[in-house]
Amino acid sequence: MECAAKGSGRTRCTGAATRPCARCGAVAYCSLSHQIEHWSSHKHECDRLEQQMESVHLLNDFPFTFSQEATVQICLKQETRCSFLSKRGIHQKGMWMIECRCGESSASFDCLRLNNSWDLPRNLYPCYAPESQIPVQLHSWSDYYNWRCIPLDSPAALLLHWPLTIYHAAQLVGIGTLNPEVCDKLYLHYLGPEKELLQLDVFGELQALFPGVHIHIELVGPAIPPQRDGEKISISRYASSNEDQSTCKSASENAILSTQSGITSAVTLQLWHGLYHDRYRDIVKDSSPHLVIAPNGGIAAYPSWLPSIELIEKLDVPAVFTDYCEEACHLAASCIENVISRSFRLPVQVNPFRQPIAVEDSVLLLPCYSNCFVFGM
């Protein structure tokens, strides 16, 4: 963790940030002198961060058998994401490649492609259409795992938080399969994808979450390679394992999800390189979105978001944002409110489908998880 006063003091940092603020406990300093110098800035956030630190136990609360290992032990540096993945035989494999530091350094978005292998035993991930209809609403990872008949020792949620966060966002703004506006097609604009570009096949689970609906997702962001601009990817089957498929489900059973009415679900992705406000006219030639979603947006950190926020405001469609911690959402909300000049329709709240493994070496001592908090306009 870096010193909270790094770059703002008159002197350079003297070492590791080992002096936490005694009041909020969310930031730390390399020395007493830097802590004193930084107080004039930190005092405006200290009370707020202290309140956010009170939610630590709530954020670390997951139903999985590995929860302690993936949350508290990683935060305390007793475990790492690499060691967690290694123990389960999925370190630097397939869609798991990007889930640790060493994988992040070797992965390349230039090579993005569908990698439909979970590298898990077939009972630990959703490899086929659900045996029962989705409940009226899923409220937690326990609900989802129970519905999909997945045991709670499965790490599949580390990847499934992408489609489940889309599902949760849609539910929060009143979009569901019973919504007359959706009918049999759902159009999503997905802003700023990064690591999920190497995990695209998990979006196939949206077939189960929105039965009978064709889902079209426009993924737009600077991380998409320019040479892949405009490319369409269709997902019409569930991701597989490396095991013999004949022991799981037949290819025809695994291929698409059909409803009793005969309507099939499918997911289509289209890639767009660039910023949303620059590419919007290209994207909407065929249709307008039912929902705009920006996972882990980091809106306060990037001024390039502001023109896109102005555009979303003019579109007058639901927009949902997520971020790694509550403070990031607070700062993002402040930026957005300066643009839209009104309060949020969807206040900052915990995402029950946040990724259940902690982010390593976050800037704050606040617990951070991918897609941890959600808010919207």
Side-chain angles (χ1 to χ4, degrees):
M1 180 178 180
E2 292 184 346
C3 173
K6 183 178 180 180
S8 62
R10 292 189 295 270
T11 59
R12 291 184 176 182
C13 290
T14 59
T18 57
R19 294 181 59 89
C21 172
R23 186 174 181 181
C24 70
V27 299
Y29 300 89
C30 66
S31 64
L32 178 60
S33 61
H34 270 198
Q35 185 172 3
I36 293 173
E37 286 180 22
H38 193 245
W39 175 246
S40 61
S41 174
H42 178 59
K43 66 182 180 182
H44 301 294
E45 64 184 9
C46 191
D47 287 344
R48 184 174 69 248
L49 292 176
E50 182 181 11
Q51 291 180 347
Q52 293 174 16
M53 286 293 285
E54 294 175 358
S55 66
V56 168
H57 296 299
L58 171 64
L59 298 181
N60 290 341
D61 185 23
F62 294 99
F64 306 107
T65 59
F66 55 78
S67 295
Q68 184 79 2
E69 179 186 356
T71 60
V72 175
Q73 292 182 18
I74 286 182
C75 291
L76 295 176
K77 300 186 183 300
Q78 298 170 350
E79 288 282 354
T80 65
R81 291 172 76 106
C82 288
S83 65
F84 178 91
L85 297 172
S86 294
K87 290 177 182 179
R88 288 153 181 85
I90 50 179
H91 184 235
Q92 289 195 296
K93 288 187 177 181
M95 294 190 290
W96 305 96
M97 176 74 72
I98 199 73
E99 288 301 329
C100 64
R101 288 177 180 171
C102 50
E104 288 176 351
S105 62
S106 60
S108 172
F109 295 139
D110 291 335
C111 303
L112 80 89
R113 54 180 167 75
L114 279 184
N115 183 338
N116 66 350
S117 175
W118 280 88
D119 294 287
L120 290 172
R122 58 186 171 272
N123 67 314
L124 297 185
Y125 67 94
C127 70
Y128 49 84
E131 296 179 357
S132 61
Q133 289 294 318
I134 187 171
V136 175
Q137 190 169 351
L138 300 171
H139 297 281
S140 66
W141 280 120
S142 294
D143 288 348
Y144 172 78
Y145 267 52
N146 182 60
W147 170 57
R148 291 300 257 141
C149 302
I150 302 173
L152 290 173
D153 61 342
S154 167
L158 273 64
L159 303 185
L160 288 167
H161 71 104
W162 299 118
L164 267 295
T165 293
I166 291 176
Y167 165 83
H168 183 61
Q171 296 293 324
L172 286 175
V173 300
I175 295 175
T177 55
L178 299 179
N179 190 316
E181 292 184 5
V182 173
C183 193
D184 61 345
K185 292 184 179 179
L186 176 61
Y187 293 96
L188 306 175
H189 287 185
Y190 191 108
L191 313 188
E194 292 184 347
K195 63 191 300 183
E196 61 265 47
L197 292 173
L198 296 176
Q199 301 169 332
L200 291 179
D201 216 51
V202 299
F203 287 86
E205 183 61 6
L206 292 170
Q207 299 170 94
L209 294 166
F210 294 92
V213 178
H214 183 99
I215 302 161
H216 185 79
I217 305 177
E218 309 279 3
L219 296 105
V220 53
I224 293 173
Q227 66 271 23
R228 310 299 291 272
D229 186 68
E231 181 176 333
K232 286 186 178 181
I233 300 172
S234 294
I235 305 176
S236 58
R237 65 176 63 237
Y238 290 89
S240 61
S241 73
N242 285 334
E243 299 183 35
D244 182 2
Q245 288 302 301
S246 64
T247 60
C248 183
K249 289 279 184 179
S250 69
S252 60
E253 288 177 303
N254 197 46
I256 53 178
L257 176 65
S258 299
T259 64
Q260 292 179 346
S261 62
I263 301 173
T264 59
S265 297
V267 178
T268 304
L269 313 174
Q270 187 157 15
L271 310 177
W272 300 93
H273 172 76
L275 301 174
Y276 186 54
H277 56 275
D278 291 330
R279 301 307 308 272
Y280 178 74
R281 291 187 180 277
D282 298 321
I283 296 171
V284 296
K285 288 180 179 178
D286 297 326
S287 63
S288 297
H290 294 105
L291 172 67
V292 176
I293 184 167
N296 298 326
I299 290 170
Y302 301 101
S304 58
W305 269 110
L306 296 182
S308 291
I309 298 300
E310 292 175 345
L311 171 61
I312 294 169
E313 170 73 354
K314 292 177 182 177
L315 295 178
D316 195 28
V317 297
V320 175
F321 308 89
T322 76
D323 224 314
Y324 289 95
C325 67
E326 188 174 1
E327 180 64 7
C329 291
H330 169 81
L331 297 175
S334 297
C335 291
I336 294 173
E337 286 176 343
N338 288 333
V339 175
I340 66 175
S341 301
R342 58 184 172 85
S343 59
F344 280 103
R345 173 184 178 182
L346 186 67
V348 175
Q349 57 194 274
V350 176
N351 176 12
F353 297 107
R354 61 197 178 278
Q355 187 184 41
I357 186 169
V359 174
E360 292 176 303
D361 294 331
S362 60
V363 177
L364 299 172
L365 290 173
L366 291 166
C368 293
Y369 296 93
S370 182
N371 289 322
C372 190
F373 284 86
V374 61
F375 61 101
M377 54 185 280

